[in-house]
Amino acid sequence: MGGAVLVNFFVVIALLLGWFGATAVVAQASGSAPAPAEDPNEGPSIRWYQAHGWLLWLAFGVFIPVGILLSRYGQYRLKWWFEAHLVLQILGVITSTIGVAIGLNKFDSLHDHMTHTKLGLAIMVLVWVQVVLSIIRPKRGQVSRVPWYFIHWLFGTASVLLAWYNIFKGLDLYVEGWTVGTQKDLYVLFSLNVAILGFAYLFLDRFNHLMNQAKEQNVVHPNAQYPLGKQGKPNNLQEAGVQVQSTNGTSNV
């Protein structure tokens, strides 16, 4: 019960911080004059684009995906995985909400009907559905936990993958709008960011298998039908009498 109360408390904090942050952006945007359209490289306009981009990059390039990795691979290795997962997701919700608020209030995005805008709004719907799902999370062992977990996993994964694509689309718009600086380097930087996250996912997914390579050769995975003999040829399990790993321990076939 205490854990559920803690989760709900932090979710409410995320709601309030996201709301106040977005409200502050709206207030500042309404009180400041936009930069002249004929000279976009001067004035506050380019800074708003940069703030919008970096906030969304931070949310979907760092906070949310790292929180997902902690949830998937840290719960069996780290005692504090849930707290870290929760904090990172809250930071992701806050930064993404403020970033989208900047886009909606400083740019004429809704009138442009761009794919980047529509997809960004759809991603934020997924993000805030995740917030609601965290509040109504069923306990383990309940039947409703299965569909809840599937939706939670699906929406979380979809939001990150779609956000990665949309960030690249946003970089296209940024490079088209401004020709100063080294914007093309941002493609390389974000591609490296995605590559590191992808490698971390693949590495952690095979980490246990990697560590098991140091075990004896006659200890095999329960899904393996035949162990390899000294000459690299399969032996019959019953004749070899090998040990098979199972969830209840180790047993002889």
Side-chain angles (χ1 to χ4, degrees), residues 111-152:
H111 304 289
D112 295 337
H113 302 288
M114 295 184 299
T115 302
H116 179 73
T117 302
K118 296 178 180 179
L119 185 57
L121 292 175
I123 292 169
M124 288 309 300
V125 170
L126 294 177
V127 169
W128 281 97
V129 168
Q130 289 286 75
V131 174
V132 176
L133 288 174
S134 66
I135 297 177
I136 61 173
R137 183 180 74 260
K139 295 181 179 179
R140 289 182 179 273
Q142 296 181 345
V143 177
S144 57
R145 178 83 178 192
V146 175
W148 175 89
Y149 184 86
F150 175 75
I151 296 174
H152 182 59

Side-chain angles (χ1 to χ4, degrees), residues 50-182:
Q50 291 171 344
H52 167 78
W54 283 113
L55 284 170
L56 272 299
W57 187 326
L58 192 62
F60 293 102
V62 180
F63 292 145
I64 295 178
V66 173
I68 292 175
L69 290 176
L70 276 173
S71 175
R72 182 175 177 85
Y73 300 110
Q75 56 182 301
Y76 302 112
R77 299 183 178 93
L78 303 173
K79 294 182 179 180
W80 41 267
W81 73 269
F82 183 75
E83 290 78 8
H85 168 75
L86 187 61
V87 170
L88 288 170
Q89 300 309 94
I90 289 175
L91 290 174
V93 171
I94 294 173
T95 52
S96 61
T97 301
I98 296 176
V100 170
I102 291 175
L104 294 179
N105 289 278
K106 290 299 294 181
F107 320 136
D108 294 329
S109 303
L110 292 179
H111 304 289
D112 295 337
H113 302 288
M114 295 184 299
T115 302
H116 179 73
T117 302
K118 296 178 180 179
L119 185 57
L121 292 175
I123 292 169
M124 288 309 300
V125 170
L126 294 177
V127 169
W128 281 97
V129 168
Q130 289 286 75
V131 174
V132 176
L133 288 174
S134 66
I135 297 177
I136 61 173
R137 183 180 74 260
K139 295 181 179 179
R140 289 182 179 273
Q142 296 181 345
V143 177
S144 57
R145 178 83 178 192
V146 175
W148 175 89
Y149 184 86
F150 175 75
I151 296 174
H152 182 59
W153 167 82
L154 180 63
F155 283 16
T157 303
S159 64
V160 172
L161 295 179
L162 290 174
W164 288 352
Y165 170 79
N166 213 31
I167 288 174
F168 279 113
K169 293 289 292 184
L171 288 175
D172 290 339
L173 296 173
Y174 181 64
V175 171
E176 292 173 4
W178 286 274
T179 58
V180 297
T182 56

